[in-house]
Amino acid sequence: MRISLLRYAGIYIATALGLALLTWVLASFAGVRLPTGLSTALPPMLAALLEGQAFARETREPLLNDEAWSAAFRMTLVVAVINAVILGGVLLFTPELTNPEVLTIVGVVFLVLLVVVLLVNRIFLGMGARSQLKALESRK
C-alpha cells in the first residue's frame, strides 16, 4: 500500500471546508477571529497525519525517509492543484486581481505557502506513521 492521494485530498478538502465554516460561525456569532495561518497549516497537517497512520496500519512498517519526502511532494502537488482551481475561480469573479503586479504577489505567496505545506506534509506524515506504529506495538 502506498499513500492514497485521493484520501489525502478528501481529508484536506473536508478540513478546509470545516475550518472555513467554523471561522465564519465564530466570527459571525461570537466575534472571535481564528489566526489566518491556521487555514494554511491545519488541513495539510491533519490530512498528512491521518495518511501516515493509514500507511502504518496497512504496511506495519516505518516510513522510509526517501519515501516520505516523495509522498510529501506528491501530496503538496495535490494541494497546489486544489488551490490553483480555487484561485482560478477567485480570479474569474474579481477582475481587479488580474493586474500583473497583483498576480506576481499572489504567485510568490502561493509558492511560499506551498513550501510550508511541503514541510508540514513531510513532518506530519512521518509523525502519523510513527505514532500508529507505536500504538500497534503497544497492543501486542
Side-chain angles (χ1 to χ4, degrees):
M1 180 260 177
R2 295 292 144 220
I3 301 301
S4 170
L5 296 179
L6 186 59
R7 180 175 45 221
Y8 174 86
I11 295 168
Y12 178 88
I13 291 168
T15 305
L17 290 175
L19 189 58
L21 179 62
L22 177 64
T23 300
W24 176 77
V25 167
L26 288 175
S28 297
F29 299 108
V32 175
R33 296 181 54 99
L34 295 177
T36 55
L38 190 62
S39 63
T40 300
L42 186 62
M45 277 180 186
L46 184 60
L49 185 74
L50 294 176
E51 197 54 43
Q53 290 174 345
F55 174 87
R57 268 192 312 276
E58 292 285 326
T59 64
R60 305 243 191 249
E61 297 175 2
L63 192 58
L64 301 174
N65 192 44
D66 290 345
E67 189 174 23
W69 276 109
S70 174
F73 181 75
R74 287 180 285 134
M75 292 171 5
T76 302
L77 288 177
V78 168
V79 171
V81 168
I82 291 168
N83 286 304
V85 169
I86 293 168
L87 181 59
V90 168
L91 292 176
L92 283 175
F93 294 104
T94 52
E96 58 271 7
L97 292 179
T98 58
N99 175 337
E101 291 174 1
V102 173
L103 278 179
T104 301
I105 293 169
V106 168
V108 169
V109 169
F110 189 79
L111 290 175
V112 168
L113 291 178
L114 283 180
V115 171
V116 170
V117 168
L118 174 65
L119 296 174
V120 164
N121 278 331
R122 173 57 187 95
I123 292 167
F124 283 86
L125 182 66
M127 189 181 298
R130 282 188 306 277
S131 69
Q132 186 64 43
L133 287 174
K134 285 181 184 177
L136 291 171
E137 282 295 318
S138 68
R139 290 182 194 158
K140 288 185 179 180

